[in-house]
Each structure stands twice: as structure tokens, then as C-alpha cells.
Amino acid sequence: MLNRVRWAVAHLVSSGGAPPPRPKSPDLPDAPSPQTAAPPEEPRSPPATAGSGSAAPAKTVEARASFSRPTFLQLSPGGLRRADDHAGRAVQSPPDTGRRLPWSTGYAEVINAGKSRHNEDQACCEVVYVEGRRSVSGAPREPSQGQGLCFYYWGLFDGHAGGGAAEMAARLLHRHIREQLKDLSCWSSQKEVTHESLVVGAIENAFQFMDEQMARERRGHQVEGGCCALVVVYLLGKVYVANAGDSRAIIVRNGEIIPMSREFTPETERQRLQLLGFLKPELLGGEFTHLEFPRRIQPKELGQKMLYRDQNMTGWAYKKIELEDLRFPLVCGEGKKARVMATIGVTRGLGDHNLKVCSSTLPIKPFLSCFPEVRVYDLTQYEHCPDDVLVLGTDGLWDVTSDCEVAATVDRVLSAYEPNDPSRYTALAQALVLGARGIPRDRGWRLPNNKLGSGDDISVFVIPLGGPGSYS
């Protein structure tokens, strides 16, 4: 069983499903700075393909140089080209260098099937030192220097309408968190304010400051588009999971599934959006209505009764259709097709400061929140085994994979490795990415049940909660 699972993962990780000369080692280096910078060597210009014409090589090289992946992947120029190949969709994981990310974290990613020009996901993993203004009284033992403390940090950033916002967030958000956590050292037990609430507030503030920095620098630094942000901070015995967008995180503990985030979409935040549209109708520009109807209202239905609901309602009621009800609904569509102002499918995240309604000057940013929801998990309340993991994934994973399927993959893959083998977590990340990507067939990328695999960018962190290289 052990050899079969290992070979299956290694076989599928290789480009296009072709068997590699040897299984790819999933060991992760403990890189000092996994910022999303391009490799130091400029990749060569790829050969022209059919229909590409005679593009100038300099422009091709420039376009390639603008594509970047997390530096902890340590991609060579050839590796960067493979990572940018929509046809092969090779799974990328850090190389075997004998060094690993903190806690032996596993990571894997794959580019989309042509949805966007490049992979717009980005990732970051850091151990961040916070200089304290004074020592923290009674703090648990942590790796620290002087009077400060350290926190462990993981971040996934799913970009849209360009990769600039995701790249900037991957590079800088943990620094904003560090700055906000400096005030933790000034904590005193007043008004029943706990360390936990201060950390949550620091993370929330950091997201806001990151978003404000994107607004200031969006022109000069070409911070195009926006991004969903899913961040994990480990500090003082607790795991903080902050989510703004539709990426998700779950803990799989002894087979039990513990959700650590929820998706923020036009459907899940309908009432918040409608309330804002009701309170500030000028944001709707006379083009939209804050009311929701089961379907688009037609002019011939004026004066008739129709089901509707507003910002106060969870159920439905009838109203007489008036002229303003013919406007386009603020929230339209269902499921993955739901949109705010017929434009964007997520309601929280960073960036999107230039986003406007199509063929209009009406801004959408006022309806989008940069604040994350932060959930806390106390690691000290449970004795974790090496098979207990926190799984982070962009929506490319969750669109085609359920929580139960992730838990089953966790059990299947980890049981094939020795508990003290740190490479098991990257093998698991690779298996999750492969399970969502599928294999190439005549009608696109398909899962074993012949359903469509994810055509989106897919990025996965697997964070062990117990076992080798874990926390103090």
C-alpha cells in the first residue's frame, strides 16, 4: 500500500501524467523569504506556437519575467516555464534540499487550464520576529530573541483581474501583522481584554492597512486587480485563521472535520450588501436595486405582485412591482455564478480599488470589505498526533472537492508514510492538488468520476498540528 500510494502521487505530479524518472521529493526548504519574486535568472524566450505570429523575442522574455512564483519553490528558468504551462499543468512543490518550511509544512500548486494568462495565486510562509516594546509578562515559551516574540505565518492569496494584488499581499501582509503585534507587548489586564482579542484585532487592522497601501500604490506600482486572502498565524499556543474571500481552511483531527473559515460571496453576504445599498442608494447609481427577486423583472410585469426580499429578510414575501424594481439587482445569480453588480463573485478581499461596473463609471469597491473573519483554535486543548493537519486551499481546490473527500485523502496518503517522515505533508498537498486538477482527456481535465476537474489555479498548504518540526 505504501509504495502504491507514493508511486501514484509521484506519477501524477509529473507533467501531463507522464511517469517521471524517479518520484519527486516533496521535502520543503526553510527559505528565509518566500516572497513572490521571479527567479534571479531570466528565463529564455519559449518557441513560437501556432497562431502566435512573429512576436519579438524581447517582448516574450519581458512577459515571462513578469510571471513569478513563491521563492520557496526555488524554480529554475525551466521550472518556471513548466509552472506557466496551461497545457501540461505540472504540479509544483519545493525541491528536496534537506531543508523544510516551518513545521514541515507541505505545499503544492498548479496553474489554471487557460482561465487567465498566468497563475494568479500566490503563497507565503514565514517565521516572523516581533520586537516588543517590553517583555510580555507570563508569555508561554516561544522561539524568541531579546524581549520580542515570534509568530509563524502562512498565507494563500487568490488573485483576480491580474496578479498584482496577490503578489503584493504575499510580500507585505505579514509585515503589517508584525507591526500591529508590536502593541501586544504593552498589554495589561484591563477591561478583560485578552491576548487573543488583541491578536485578532492586530490581524484585522493589518488587513485594512494592507488594503489602504494597495489603494495608495495602485498606480505607481501597477497593483492591478484584487485578491482573496487566507492567512494563518500561530502565536502563544493558538492558531488564528483569517479569511477574506472564498478560499477555505479546515482542520482534520482524528478523522473529524473542523471548519476554520467560511466563504464570503454575494450569496453568503447578501444582507450586508443589501443593507449598504439601502442606506446609501447613491452607491447604486440609479442602475441597480438593493431588492432581490427570484428572477429578472420584465416591464410587462409592472403593477403585478412578485416575490422579493430585502436586507431585513431571510424568507420571501410579495410586493407590487414598481418602476425602480426594473433596475438590475445588486446581487444576482446563484452559487458560483452569483455576482455583485453583475461583476465580481467575492465580497471580501484586498485591492479592487479600480474595479467598476462594466461599461459604467460606477465603482464596486464600496461593497467589498477588506476585513477578514478570524477564527481561533487553541492547540493546547488537545493532544495532536502527526496525522492531524490544517489544510488551506484556494477555491480551485474546494470547487470540486468536499471536506469529506479532503479528509479521506488525508487518511489515505498519511497512512502510507511513517509518522516521523516529514515529506508526507507535501505528498498530501500534491495528492489534494492532483485530485482537484484531474487528468487530461479529450474533453478537458477530468476527475475519476468523469466530472470536470478544476480549471482554476489550485494552491494548497498542509500544516501538521503534531509531529516532527512542530511548535514548542
Side-chain angles (χ1 to χ4, degrees):
M1 173 65 179
L2 184 149
N3 289 333
R4 286 201 304 270
V5 171
R6 287 186 174 180
W7 171 248
V9 171
H11 173 80
L12 289 170
V13 166
S14 59
S15 176
R22 53 172 292 183
K24 181 178 180 180
S25 173
D27 290 352
L28 297 173
D30 187 10
S33 178
Q35 299 167 8
T36 52
E41 295 183 65
E42 187 174 63
R44 294 180 181 177
S45 174
T49 56
S52 64
S54 56
K59 291 184 179 180
T60 308
V61 172
E62 181 180 351
R64 284 288 179 179
S66 67
F67 172 64
S68 61
R69 301 311 311 141
T71 55
F72 60 69
L73 289 176
Q74 298 185 11
L75 295 179
S76 65
L80 192 67
R81 286 193 292 272
R82 287 190 295 273
D84 202 23
D85 179 12
H86 296 277
R89 300 189 75 190
V91 175
Q92 304 297 322
S93 287
D96 180 8
T97 63
R99 304 170 64 204
R100 298 183 177 87
L101 292 176
W103 297 18
S104 299
T105 297
Y107 178 80
E109 68 172 36
V110 72
I111 196 171
N112 61 81
K115 179 180 177 181
S116 60
R117 182 178 180 185
H118 298 302
N119 188 339
E120 294 180 341
D121 284 359
Q122 292 290 355
C124 180
C125 182
E126 293 272 5
V127 180
V128 184
Y129 174 63
V130 183
E131 292 183 359
R133 293 187 174 89
R134 59 176 180 171
S135 61
V136 180
S137 176
R141 289 191 302 272
E142 288 286 330
S144 61
Q145 304 173 25
Q147 295 183 346
L149 51 84
C150 282
F151 67 87
Y152 296 85
Y153 173 89
W154 300 261
L156 287 181
F157 306 93
D158 184 354
H160 49 259
E167 188 278 332
M168 187 175 185
R171 183 164 42 89
L172 297 177
L173 181 56
H174 60 285
R175 300 183 187 180
H176 284 286
I177 295 176
R178 179 187 62 196
E179 289 303 308
Q180 294 303 305
L181 286 176
K182 286 182 179 179
D183 292 334
L184 189 65
S185 61
C186 300
W187 173 79
S188 61
S189 55
Q190 296 177 0
K191 298 182 180 180
E192 299 182 353
V193 176
T194 63
H195 270 101
E196 179 179 307
S197 64
L198 288 174
V199 175
V200 171
I203 294 171
E204 291 169 335
N205 261 352
F207 271 67
Q208 182 180 22
F209 290 140
M210 183 74 257
D211 191 61
E212 291 173 352
Q213 183 178 0
M214 288 181 175
R216 290 192 306 269
E217 301 182 10
R218 65 183 184 273
R219 292 183 180 88
H221 292 74
Q222 298 180 336
V223 185
E224 75 275 14
C227 68
C228 300
L230 176 62
V231 162
V232 172
V233 171
Y234 169 76
L235 178 65
L236 302 177
K238 294 180 179 179
V239 172
Y240 299 81
V241 179
N243 184 47
D246 59 359
S247 299
R248 286 205 298 114
I250 65 170
I251 286 176
V252 181
R253 186 185 70 189
N254 194 27
E256 177 188 5
I257 298 169
I258 305 171
M260 290 303 296
S261 68
R262 63 189 176 104
E263 297 177 350
F264 291 101
T265 67
E267 283 190 320
T268 63
E269 292 212 281
R270 173 186 63 85
Q271 288 180 281
R272 177 182 72 80
L273 300 171
Q274 288 180 315
L275 177 60
L276 183 56
F278 171 74
L279 295 175
K280 295 187 175 183
E282 65 273 14
L283 297 177
L284 302 175
E287 301 178 30
F288 295 86
T289 173
H290 74 283
L291 301 180
E292 181 185 14
F293 300 93
R295 58 175 174 79
R296 193 68 200 279
I297 306 300
Q298 303 299 317
K300 64 182 180 181
E301 295 174 309
L302 280 170
Q304 298 181 18
K305 285 193 173 182
M306 182 70 66
L307 286 170
Y308 86 106
R309 58 181 178 182
D310 63 15
Q311 70 279 0
N312 300 311
M313 302 168 64
T314 56
W316 296 83
Y318 283 94
K319 77 177 296 287
K320 186 177 180 180
I321 298 300
E322 302 172 3
L323 189 61
E324 55 265 30
D325 297 329
L326 298 181
R327 297 170 181 167
F328 205 87
L330 172 61
V331 176
C332 63
E334 297 180 351
K336 293 297 291 184
K337 295 182 178 180
R339 294 290 182 270
V340 179
M341 305 178 96
T343 303
I344 187 169
V346 290
T347 53
R348 298 202 192 191
L350 302 169
D352 290 313
H353 295 280
N354 295 326
L355 187 62
K356 295 197 170 43
V357 175
C358 183
S359 302
S360 170
T361 59
L362 201 59
I364 298 176
K365 181 64 176 179
F367 291 96
L368 308 180
S369 173
C370 65
F371 284 95
E373 179 184 65
V374 184
R375 297 189 179 183
V376 186
Y377 180 81
D378 191 342
L379 281 176
T380 66
Q381 298 301 307
Y382 192 90
E383 187 173 348
H384 295 87
C385 73
D387 290 355
D388 296 336
V389 293
L390 171 58
V391 177
L392 314 182
T394 55
D395 64 334
L397 171 70
W398 304 108
D399 285 348
V400 297
T401 312
S402 68
D403 291 358
C404 291
E405 288 170 332
V406 168
T409 303
V410 169
D411 178 68
R412 173 175 58 84
V413 174
L414 294 187
S415 64
Y417 288 78
E418 294 296 329
N420 61 351
D421 184 351
S423 68
R424 66 208 304 259
Y425 304 111
T426 290
L428 174 54
Q430 292 171 345
L432 291 170
V433 168
L434 289 165
R437 184 201 71 176
I439 59 176
R441 293 183 180 171
D442 293 338
R443 294 177 297 142
W445 295 83
R446 294 280 170 173
L447 305 179
N449 58 11
N450 206 36
K451 290 184 178 180
L452 277 174
S454 176
D456 201 354
D457 302 312
I458 311 170
S459 301
V460 172
F461 271 127
V462 175
I463 307 170
L465 301 179
S470 65
Y471 50 91
S472 302

